Structure formats: structure tokens, C-alpha cells
Amino acid sequence: MEQRHVEYDTLILGAGAAGMMCAAHAAQGGGRVLVIDHAKAAGEKIRISGGGRCNFTNMHCAPENFISQNKHFHKSALSRYSQWDFLDLVQNHGIAWHEKTLGQLFCDESAKQIVAMLLDEMARAGAQLSLLTSVVDLTRRGERFHASLEVAGKRKSVTARHLVVATGAKSIPKMGATGFAYQIAAQFGMAVTPTRAGLVPFTFPEGRFAPLAGVALPVRAAAGGASFEENMLFTHRGLSGPAMLQISSYWREGEEIAINLLPAADPFEMLRARRQEQGRKNLSTELARLLPAKLADDLSKSWGLAGNLADQSDAMLRALCERLTNLRLTPSGTEGYRTAEVTVGGVDTDGLSSSTMMSKTVQGLYFIGESVDVTGWLGGYNFQWAWSSGVAAGKDIAARRP
């Protein structure tokens, strides 16, 4: 039997990075805030991120590090709550951190410290948390949202002036990810842009790269007008590593990707110099001086490379180097949402206020975090969007309190 309803100022769906951050700000000043999640613990995606150490932000975070149909939408939230603001919070909680490559910031000890910090911030502000809780029904009547919840097999009815959707997106379904945010958007007449898996490995047919599984090297990779210079990893199913994950967010099915296997070298000048010094050396052997041996051998066989360096004209060497620095491949697809770190696309930003994250058409309805059509690069950018969008919504809610 459904219980008598409980009234709140704000109901937040999702106890992830964005939801908890929003709650900590929305509840300040005495607001009654309830955060619910169907998981048994808050911040599960935080806990497993960064190899268990959480890449919680990036020192170089800027608007150009994000993908959205509206390239200006995210500027407001990111500028009003920056990576430096979150770093101050981390340091105020005594969490030791370090910078890895490309401005990526990680906990020295454990991602669990970030979860504990957010729970502490929520508790200090007076926000309530209800886990193992799911939404059975959701409506809006008058100026309040009405939600029928199921908690440990029992029904509970709550109402709230503000509803914040922080349920994430479709990436990593084994963590409980769903498209629930999009269903809510549709229910309230809000548009959702097409979605696809992002920051995800590429697949190729018939185990094309299986013999090279485990081989890694620095590359410059490009797709969809974007390029990144990071490591690439061959896998049994295709190509992975940071460079591939980055360009996957820009790639569309059927398109080519371009890979420079020697981004830090001028292979033509190197091979031409070696030809003069060691002309009798086998071409394949020389290729193995520039690339991992397994990869050099694979390319030599598939490209039919033969003969000594002395046998190669300048034109032949240039043609080889063009292939090495502009390798064109067409993936058959990606590994999809199963392994994707993010979802590209989401609730259309045209329907949201960039300063508050509130719907332009439904008073009191907010969308934050990954549910929105704002997707960051690999390296802590998506967490920063969670913090920034969560704060934007939370502060607006607190400011609207009578």
C-alpha cells in the first residue's frame, strides 16, 4: 500500500557525480532535498573510474574539450565552477592528488575518497539519500512533481517543486546505466539529440589485428575533423588506447580513421639516411627500428615489402612513408555502450538554460551531467562537466527558495 506522500523542495534522480554535487548545493540554506538511486551504493561510476583512483578533473579544462550541437552551451557552467574550484574542494577535504599526463588529476589513494567527500558535503547541507530506490511513476500536477517510488519493496509517494534528472546515459549498462533521462525528457516534451557510444574501442572484421593484440605505440589519430596524439593499443577485437577512444567520439559509422604511426619522426629522412649508411639492410628490418617489431612484421607482410634499402628509390620510400604517416582504416564499428565511457548526444541543449540547466518549457525541471548533449574528452573532462552542471542547477534551486 502506498504511504502518505512526503513533500520536498527538490527530488534528484541519480546519486552519481552530478546528482550528489547538485544536492550539496541545492540543500544549502535549509532546502529539503532527496536524492534517490536504484544502486546499492552512491557514486559507483566514480568508484571504478581511473583504475580506482578517479581522474576527477583536468587542469586544462576548457570549452573546446567538449562536443555538443551547441558549442557555446557549456561555457557558462564551466566558467562559474571550474576545475580549480573542484580542486579547492578536494584539497579542503585533505585528499592527496597528483597530475598524470596531459593535465589529468587523480587521487593518490582511492576514488572512494571522492565519493566520501560528496556524501559528506550532502550531509553537511542536510540532503537525504535513498538507495535501492526506483521510480514507478512520475507526473507533474500544478507546480509540483509527483513521484511514486519503490524502496525495498514498499511504495512511497513524494512531491517536489524541483526535479533534477541526473541519471546519466547509456554507457556501461552493467553499472545500471539506462536511457531513463531521455524517457523523462520525452514525457515532458523535450527533444533529445541522436545518441551513440563515445570514448569506446573500435572493432574490425575477422580479427584483423588479433595477432598484434597487446602491441601499443604513440600515434596521431584523426576522425570527424578532430585529431589526438596519444597511445594506441591493438586488441583482439580491433583498436583501443587513449588515441582511439578520443577519436571514437567524433567518428561516424562507415567513415575512415587516419593514423600517423610515427608522429614524432620524419621517417622519409630517417630511411633515406639509413639507405646511404646501411644500404644492404633489409627494408623490413629497418621498419622494425621505427615501429614495434610485431607491427613492422605485420605491415611488411600485408604491404608486400621486400628487398634492401639500397633497392628503394626516393619515390618508393616516400610512398611507404605516406602509408606509415597516413594509414587509412575503416572500422566495422565500436564495442558500443557495453564498454563506452560516455554517451555522445542527449537532452537537447536548445531546451535548457545554459546558466541554470533548467528546462525552458517546464518550470522546475533540470537535466545535468551526462544526460545532457555535452560530452567531454577522455581525461577528467566529463567529471568536470558533472561538477559544473550540478553546481549550476543546485545554486539556482537554492536561490529560488522562498
Side-chain angles (χ1 to χ4, degrees):
M1 191 174 77
E2 192 154 306
Q3 301 174 7
R4 181 177 61 84
H5 80 257
V6 183
E7 294 188 354
Y8 291 91
D9 292 310
T10 306
L11 173 62
I12 299 177
L13 310 182
M20 288 194 284
M21 195 66 168
C22 180
H25 288 268
Q28 288 181 10
R32 295 199 67 198
V33 175
L34 174 65
V35 184
I36 70 166
D37 200 294
H38 59 71
K40 63 181 179 181
E44 283 292 84
K45 205 167 180 180
I46 299 172
R47 183 182 60 79
I48 67 165
S49 67
R53 293 195 174 179
C54 188
N55 178 192
F56 56 79
T57 193
N58 193 293
M59 292 178 71
H60 308 311
C61 191
E64 55 265 29
N65 305 126
F66 295 82
I67 304 166
S68 175
Q69 286 193 359
N70 180 350
K71 64 182 180 180
H72 301 294
F73 178 82
H74 43 284
K75 290 180 178 179
S76 176
L78 290 170
S79 66
R80 288 183 295 119
Y81 191 86
S82 72
Q83 61 268 42
W84 310 116
D85 294 312
F86 190 76
L87 189 57
D88 283 345
L89 180 64
V90 168
Q91 293 180 154
N92 288 340
H93 279 260
I95 300 172
W97 57 275
H98 61 277
E99 178 189 357
K100 290 182 86 170
T101 59
L102 304 172
Q104 300 168 12
L105 303 188
F106 288 78
C107 298
D108 281 0
E109 295 178 27
S110 171
K112 293 178 182 178
Q113 294 175 287
I114 299 294
V115 178
M117 175 189 79
L118 294 169
L119 289 172
D120 183 53
E121 288 291 309
M122 283 174 55
R124 288 184 189 184
Q128 299 175 40
L129 174 64
S130 179
L131 297 170
L132 296 172
T133 302
S134 57
V135 178
V136 177
D137 187 54
L138 181 65
T139 58
R140 188 169 190 265
R141 300 174 218 155
E143 295 184 352
R144 297 188 72 83
F145 293 92
H146 293 248
S148 178
L149 309 178
E150 187 168 295
V151 188
K154 294 182 179 179
R155 291 287 178 90
K156 177 180 180 180
S157 178
V158 303
T159 67
R161 291 178 60 240
H162 309 106
L163 176 69
V164 182
V165 183
T167 54
K170 298 177 180 178
S171 51
I172 318 184
K174 70 179 180 182
M175 297 290 295
T178 68
F180 187 46
Y182 312 146
Q183 296 173 30
I184 296 174
Q187 178 183 344
F188 290 102
M190 299 185 64
V192 177
T193 67
T195 60
R196 64 185 189 276
L199 299 182
V200 62
F202 289 111
T203 56
F204 287 81
E206 300 169 3
R208 166 67 182 89
F209 298 117
L212 298 173
V215 173
L217 73 161
V219 302
R220 183 182 300 119
S227 66
F228 296 87
E229 194 165 321
E230 295 193 55
N231 279 351
M232 178 178 78
L233 172 70
F234 290 91
T235 72
H236 287 284
R237 300 191 66 192
L239 297 173
S240 188
M244 296 297 103
L245 298 186
Q246 294 280 36
I247 65 170
S248 73
S249 294
Y250 293 85
W251 177 80
R252 297 300 181 99
E253 194 168 348
E255 292 180 347
E256 283 186 328
I257 62 173
I259 304 170
N260 182 345
L261 297 172
L262 295 163
D266 183 342
F268 175 70
E269 290 301 329
M270 293 173 72
L271 288 171
R272 192 164 68 162
R274 289 289 290 175
R275 184 181 61 189
Q276 284 204 280
E277 300 163 5
Q278 302 280 343
R280 293 183 179 180
K281 290 283 188 180
N282 183 274
L283 178 59
S284 298
T285 302
E286 286 306 302
L287 197 56
R289 295 181 69 250
L290 302 176
L291 298 168
K294 267 189 175 183
L295 176 58
D297 183 59
D298 181 90
L299 293 177
S300 295
K301 289 176 180 175
S302 61
W303 291 350
L305 302 182
N308 298 330
L309 277 174
D311 302 326
Q312 316 298 317
S313 66
D314 277 6
M316 293 169 75
L317 288 182
R318 283 191 187 281
L320 170 60
C321 293
E322 170 64 19
R323 298 180 86 171
L324 291 171
T325 58
N326 191 24
L327 180 62
R328 299 279 175 157
L329 300 169
T330 303
S332 56
T334 70
E335 292 189 3
Y337 292 115
R338 181 179 63 84
T339 59
E341 295 199 21
V342 294
T343 300
V344 182
V347 176
D348 196 330
T349 58
D350 284 351
L352 300 173
S353 162
S354 62
S355 60
T356 68
M357 309 304 295
M358 186 170 75
S359 167
K360 292 177 180 178
T361 55
V362 183
Q363 182 73 18
L365 176 62
Y366 299 76
F367 290 85
I368 59 176
E370 197 185 342
S371 67
V372 180
D373 176 28
V374 176
T375 306
W377 289 2
L378 182 72
Y381 299 98
N382 288 292
F383 273 128
Q384 185 57 47
W385 172 243
W387 316 137
S388 298
S389 60
V391 169
K395 284 190 171 181
D396 184 65
I397 289 168
R400 290 174 184 273
R401 190 167 303 119

